[in-house]
Amino acid sequence: MKRISRIQLVTGLIIFVIMLLTNCTSVDENKPITFTPVVDFTAFAGSASCASCHHDIYEKHLHTEHYSSTSKASAERILGSFEDGKNQYVFDNGATVVMQRKDSAFYQTEYANGQVQKTERMDMVVGSGRKGQSYININGNRFTQLPITYFTAAAQWSNSPGYPPHNAAFDRPITSRCLECHTTFVQQVKSISPQVEEFDKTKIIYGIDCERCHGPAAKHVAFQTQNPKATEAKFIVNPAKLSRQQNLDLCSLCHGGRLQKTAASFSFQVGDSIAGFFAPNKNFMDATNIDVHGNQAGLLSASKCFQLSQLTCNSCHNAHENEKDKIALFSQRCQTCHSSGHQKLCKLTDTIGTAITQNCIDCHMPKQASRSIAVYLQGAQQPTPVFMRTHWIKIYPKETDKVKHLLKATRAKGNLNAKEIR
Ligand code: HEC
Ligand code: HEC
Ligand code: HEC
Ligand code: HEC
Ligand code: HEC
Ligand code: HEC
Ligand code: HEC
């Protein structure tokens, strides 16, 4: 199977090149859209340059998952183990991929019957590691995803999500759309087809950085540096001054699920309407079909909170801070609307008592299994999913039973004042 498809691919490429060389007219019809983003690498200043004037925001942002969503491979950033015995993954066909450290570089090497089949360097890390990390090999201008991923929930190496369990695949090209969601900017140099693209590895801005959400800021930095007395900002966008829809569109660029692009990756900028860059997303109509991975915008828009108020992502999230697992803090934010005199109160308020106010989240935004991020752990017949918070805020009777049960157990242990739960 794999061989045939490779032969087909190679033949296809040869034909394509011949057609290009002979200037064959039929090529035009199949020509990939020329994806030249309107933004250039030189328009960026890099987040380190913001530190001198926006010190607090800069420091906090270093701890966010956005900041570490992509980085250069390093011992510090790669979470998986290189220790003997813990550094391999065995496929169904007997092939073994071993993670190795040589000098200052990191490799994934495939062995079959003791012979090296393939060895590729891990150059870029994708993922802060909250759920996991995948690794990219950079060979010249070509970026490829490596077969082995680190899966945080099981604290072990696993097969990359969506990869076949039977054999190690080293041939998946990384597209500009993948990079658009995980980096601030990567300069594309060529688009051979929508799947095969080339990038300039010297022009990468790692992580989801300041300039991804505020726009390229070289001009802002130059202006404010030359005019240190100017108290008003120039050449920069503050999303707080934009409309609700513009704010939602900024986050939806990456948290709006699988969108079909109609313009160059990296050309969407803060303030733009998503509609000018992507085809309408039909999934928005049917929340039961939306995966918890990557489409918080779609799920949220199915919620009454969203439909009957001016709620945006920023009502609950602070874009500059890592607030992971601060459930009580998020619950307070629910209560800015759901408190007496404002929106409806929880119907359980009188039956569960004050304990309820510490955690609205486990009952109304429970963790659910993702269908799209699921990996094969070694030897497993079924993929193991990651669990994520759903953003479809509603009433989940089963989750309520679980939480009530836990509350009772806590009370039985005497950890809570008996008055807390009635
Ligand atoms: C030389 C100082 C300086 C540097 C460097 C600088 N800024 Fe600013 N920035 C300012 C000043 C002054 C303001 C206006 C006062 C304020 O809002 O803090 C401002 C305001 C802003 C605003 C709010 C704009 C508004 O309309 O409310 C944003 C967003 C911003 N800067 C982002 C950045 C980013 C991102 C960087 C780095 C790429 C950066 N700044 C680098 C001085 C600077
Ligand atoms: C350029 C793409 C991109 C944009 C724009 C973006 N995000 Fe993200 N966001 C990501 C990626 C990728 C991750 C996962 C990072 C990781 O863990 O590696 C993430 C993670 C998160 C998380 C979970 C981590 C945490 O800190 O708790 C939150 C919350 C979040 N984003 C909110 C937002 C909000 C709100 C906006 C709009 C203001 C936004 N994002 C804009 C790509 C983006
Ligand atoms: C439409 C935007 C989008 C695209 C395209 C996309 N991702 Fe993601 N990815 C996200 C967001 C958002 C998150 C985190 C939140 C979530 O899962 O909902 C994430 C999470 C991840 C994580 C887990 C991060 C962590 O620290 O837990 C990995 C690994 C990852 N993506 C790799 C990739 C790779 C590799 C590609 C391309 C081959 C890719 N993603 C394509 C948006 C995207
Ligand atoms: C994920 C998107 C995102 C990233 C990354 C991000 N910001 Fe912001 N930033 C926002 C949003 C959204 C607001 C408006 C918040 C609101 O509605 O009050 C904002 C507001 C600001 C403001 C206005 C003043 C304030 O305190 O609210 C400044 C200045 C600023 N950001 C600077 C930065 C700098 C510097 C960085 C990088 C170190 C950065 N931002 C990274 C989304 C982001
Ligand atoms: C910006 C205001 C706002 C915020 C913040 C907010 N909500 Fe709501 N919520 C609403 C409105 C408005 C409704 C609809 C009330 C009605 O039916 O009249 C609603 C409805 C609900 C409902 C009923 C849903 C249904 O399908 O019947 C639940 C449950 C709920 N919210 C929980 C939460 C939780 C939990 C949070 C925090 C994670 C939260 N809300 C944050 C405004 C908000
Ligand atoms: C133990 C689980 C649990 C917790 C904790 C919880 N809720 Fe609820 N909530 C429910 C259930 C179940 C219902 C539906 C009850 C019914 O219809 O009789 C509900 C109903 C609601 C409603 C709809 C009320 C109406 O009149 O239609 C809102 C709004 C709401 N909750 C908000 C919240 C907020 C805000 C918090 C945190 C301060 C919270 N809930 C904490 C389980 C919970
Ligand atoms: C009503 C409050 C609320 C709103 C609005 C909201 N979120 Fe969240 N979000 C939460 C809570 C609560 C969590 C769970 C935090 C935790 O467990 O650490 C969360 C978690 C996340 C995560 C991490 C998911 C995971 O399980 O790893 C991402 C990504 C995220 N939100 C993005 C967004 C985006 C994008 C928007 C806007 C489309 C948004 N959120 C709007 C409350 C909200």
Side-chain angles (χ1 to χ4, degrees), residues 9 35 69-71 108 120-127 133-149 160-161 163 169-183 185-201 204 206 261 265-266:
L9 190 79
F35 284 129
S69 112
T70 33
S71 47
Q108 297 196 358
E120 300 275 14
R121 202 176 52 230
M122 297 153 86
D123 293 306
M124 194 199 279
V125 180
V126 187
Q133 292 181 331
S134 290
Y135 307 93
I136 294 178
N137 170 259
I138 302 179
N139 186 356
N141 292 336
R142 293 286 174 92
F143 289 34
T144 333
Q145 186 173 353
L146 292 173
I148 303 301
T149 283
S160 293
Y163 275 50
F170 279 87
D171 52 6
R172 288 211 179 174
I174 288 284
T175 61
S176 52
R177 180 66 179 137
C178 173
L179 297 171
E180 179 178 36
C181 286
H182 282 276
T183 66
F185 188 76
V186 181
Q187 184 86 54
Q188 194 196 59
V189 291
K190 207 190 274 170
S191 169
I192 292 157
S193 77
Q195 286 77 38
V196 182
E197 299 169 83
E198 294 190 346
F199 306 97
D200 183 343
K201 66 177 175 214
I204 302 175
Y206 291 97
K261 71 179 181 184
S265 289
F266 296 109

Side-chain angles (χ1 to χ4, degrees), residues 181-305:
C181 286
H182 282 276
T183 66
T184 296
F185 188 76
V186 181
Q187 184 86 54
Q188 194 196 59
V189 291
K190 207 190 274 170
S191 169
I192 292 157
S193 77
Q195 286 77 38
V196 182
E197 299 169 83
E198 294 190 346
F199 306 97
D200 183 343
K201 66 177 175 214
T202 64
K203 292 179 178 163
I204 302 175
I205 301 175
Y206 291 97
I208 317 288
D209 230 331
C210 320
E211 291 169 285
R212 185 66 258 187
C213 295
H214 294 292
K219 272 187 172 175
H220 171 67
V221 171
F223 175 84
Q224 307 299 152
T225 309
Q226 283 155 21
N227 301 278
K229 287 191 182 133
T231 49
E232 214 177 298
K234 285 252 159 65
F235 309 115
I236 194 83
V237 182
N238 182 350
K241 296 177 183 168
L242 299 176
S243 71
R244 180 192 191 208
Q245 193 56 49
Q246 283 170 311
N247 268 285
L248 290 166
D249 282 4
L250 169 62
C251 311
S252 300
L253 172 68
C254 311
H255 294 282
R258 282 170 188 265
L259 299 166
Q260 184 71 42
K261 71 179 181 184
T262 54
S265 289
F266 296 109
S267 51
F268 175 95
Q269 291 301 324
V270 54
D272 286 339
S273 161
I274 217 91
F277 300 80
F278 298 93
N281 190 345
K282 292 186 205 91
N283 274 346
F284 266 53
M285 302 300 133
D286 177 11
T288 51
N289 261 326
I290 298 180
D291 193 73
V292 277
H293 162 59
N295 198 351
Q296 288 80 16
L299 289 162
L300 189 67
S301 64
S303 315
K304 274 195 191 158
C305 302

Side-chain angles (χ1 to χ4, degrees), residues 19-56:
M19 291 202 298
L20 262 185
L21 290 175
T22 54
N23 224 348
C24 173
T25 45
S26 66
V27 175
D28 280 352
E29 288 154 28
N30 302 316
K31 208 173 101 184
I33 314 167
T34 317
F35 284 129
T36 315
V38 291
V39 190
D40 184 80
F41 188 69
T42 53
F44 292 90
S47 69
S49 69
C50 320
S52 56
C53 301
H54 302 288
H55 190 257
D56 281 3

